[in-house]
Amino acid sequence: MIRFRGLVMVGFVGLLLCDSLSSVVAADSVMLEFSGQTMATTYSVKVFGPAESVDVDDLRIDIDGVLRNVNDQMSTYLKSSEISRFNASDSTDWFPISPEFADVVDAALSIAVKTNGAFDITVAPLVNAWNFGPSPRTGKAPSDETIQQLLATIGYQKLTVRMDPPSLKKSIPSLMVDLSAIAKGHAVDRVVEFLNSKGMKDVFVEIGGEVRTSGSKAGQWWKVGIQMPDAATDQWTVAHALSTSDSDRAMATSGDYRNFFESDGKRYSHTIDPRTGRPIDHALASVSVVTASCVDADAWATAINVLGPDDGLAIATKEGLDTLLISRAGDEFLRIGTGTLSQYSTASPVGAVQASPVKAVDSAGSPWVVMAITTIAFATILMAMAVGVIFGRKAISGSCGGIANKTNDDGSVSCGLCSNPADACKELRDRMQTTHSQETNA
């Protein structure tokens, strides 16, 4: 099973079981799967459809092009990106940006208003000060004086967006934007919409734990697992069915247990409360949100995580969101859900090992049938891998080691922003430029 490392880990236990069953239901269909790196994390794409010829290399390059474009617009780690250039500018005039960038900022400001600033993309200076941004890390907490000074430089009310022409405007020269709490969800949406535009309607896309599905697998539901918020275990607490062919659904999870640092014996979460200027410090360990678009799910998960267990539950109920809030209760966890995720609520705390049984791990049969099919599937995969290693004399390389430091057979190295070798970035850029020119001349 692939493990994706990021702010939160989302597992595909249910998805894997359904894939095994769908291969029996639809023998004339195939599951095309590949993964790579983007946005300082990993991505995974699954396309289910007729067993017809698909150029995987071309599709991978096209998807990397979509993701590279998102990075060029919204990555604070690229000095040449739109967001970095906006942050570096001290002008308070309208700053031209791409339509996609404007859409994301518009969505972010909408949620900022609804949460009274609990979600605020102008929090960038504080993110940097707390060692979670692109600035050099000190490993120490900022002083109270520094926090107060930085609080005066943030505030979503100081940022304005317009859609025509797409532009941003800051009311103070020092204002900066950080889209790390919403950009991955947007990227997931972009990849799904790209695949749909190419006639691929039954797809599963994941980036750093944020997921969106489209269509189904021969009428069966895509499923994702939500992990217990315990860094010491990889125990899945629920396996939720996301969608069938009638609608797209997306899931995003925000937690405080994967990305943090410790200073002077205190643990600091990466999630900063824009209202206080400090990392969150409450019992809520993780929040999962299901919506139609991943950009909304991503933003709402962070917003509710900032608000905490009580206020977070209140706004989730008010907004009619499908959410699962997992809070610490001593050494155990308490699950409270709203909407379609309310079925996973627990009346009393549960431990990571003693988690209550998941309902309907797979709708196609009993747990024993699922277990048997899964065992056979894993055995087949392991046998195939063993044969390949023995006769091909190749070392097994996978997601555990990643590809960031991998040297390819031809001597090239892998690129940190896309899944292709760095030497292929020129080809990717050329293809993107050709596509852009064709669209411009059309």
Side-chain angles (χ1 to χ4, degrees), residues 317-361:
T317 303
K318 176 183 177 182
E319 294 293 327
L321 298 172
D322 299 329
T323 65
L324 182 64
L325 284 65
I326 304 180
S327 300
R328 294 183 179 86
D331 295 330
E332 298 179 309
F333 298 99
L334 178 66
R335 301 195 305 251
I336 299 179
T338 63
T340 60
L341 298 183
S342 61
Q343 60 184 304
Y344 306 119
S345 297
T346 52
S348 59
V350 294
V353 177
Q354 295 81 25
S356 59
V358 177
K359 296 181 179 180
V361 172

Side-chain angles (χ1 to χ4, degrees), residues 74-263:
M74 307 176 198
S75 173
T76 56
Y77 289 85
L78 295 178
K79 292 183 179 179
S80 60
S81 68
E82 291 183 28
I83 193 172
S84 292
R85 289 187 284 111
F86 174 76
N87 288 343
S89 172
D90 59 3
S91 172
T92 56
D93 294 330
W94 285 107
F95 186 94
I97 59 173
S98 62
E100 295 86 358
F101 192 177
D103 285 340
V104 173
V105 172
D106 186 57
L109 291 180
S110 175
I111 295 179
V113 172
K114 292 179 180 179
T115 60
N116 292 319
F119 184 81
D120 192 337
I121 58 174
T122 70
V123 74
L126 286 165
V127 173
N128 291 335
W130 282 100
N131 299 281
F132 297 109
S135 299
R137 300 192 176 191
T138 65
K140 297 181 179 180
S143 65
D144 292 344
E145 181 182 3
T146 298
I147 293 173
Q148 291 304 313
Q149 291 174 348
L150 293 177
L151 280 171
T153 69
I154 74 168
Y156 68 93
Q157 303 93 335
K158 299 179 177 71
L159 179 66
T160 307
V161 61
R162 71 181 181 191
M163 310 307 293
D164 187 19
S167 310
L168 289 182
K169 186 176 183 180
K170 56 177 76 173
S171 63
I172 58 174
S174 60
L175 193 73
M176 299 173 64
V177 173
D178 184 342
L179 297 177
S180 59
I182 194 172
K184 289 202 305 295
H186 168 74
V188 170
D189 289 336
R190 289 269 288 272
V191 173
V192 170
E193 289 159 8
F194 167 77
L195 293 172
N196 288 170
S197 72
K198 297 297 182 180
M200 304 174 191
K201 304 301 183 183
D202 301 316
V203 303
F204 176 104
V205 177
E206 176 270 346
I207 299 178
E210 323 299 21
V211 179
R212 177 173 164 180
T213 65
S214 174
S216 65
K217 307 182 304 302
Q220 296 193 39
W221 297 44
W222 296 104
K223 291 186 180 181
V224 295
I226 301 174
Q227 187 187 20
M228 289 294 289
D230 182 356
T233 69
D234 287 340
Q235 177 85 18
W236 314 119
T237 184
V238 301
H240 182 68
L242 272 189
S243 70
T244 55
S245 57
D246 59 345
S247 64
D248 287 14
R249 300 299 285 171
M251 176 187 287
T253 301
S254 177
D256 69 348
Y257 55 95
R258 287 292 177 185
N259 193 3
F260 60 88
F261 79 94
E262 295 182 351
S263 177

Side-chain angles (χ1 to χ4, degrees), residues 354-371:
Q354 295 81 25
S356 59
V358 177
K359 296 181 179 180
V361 172
D362 195 281
S363 58
S366 68
W368 293 108
V369 173
V370 171
M371 184 179 296

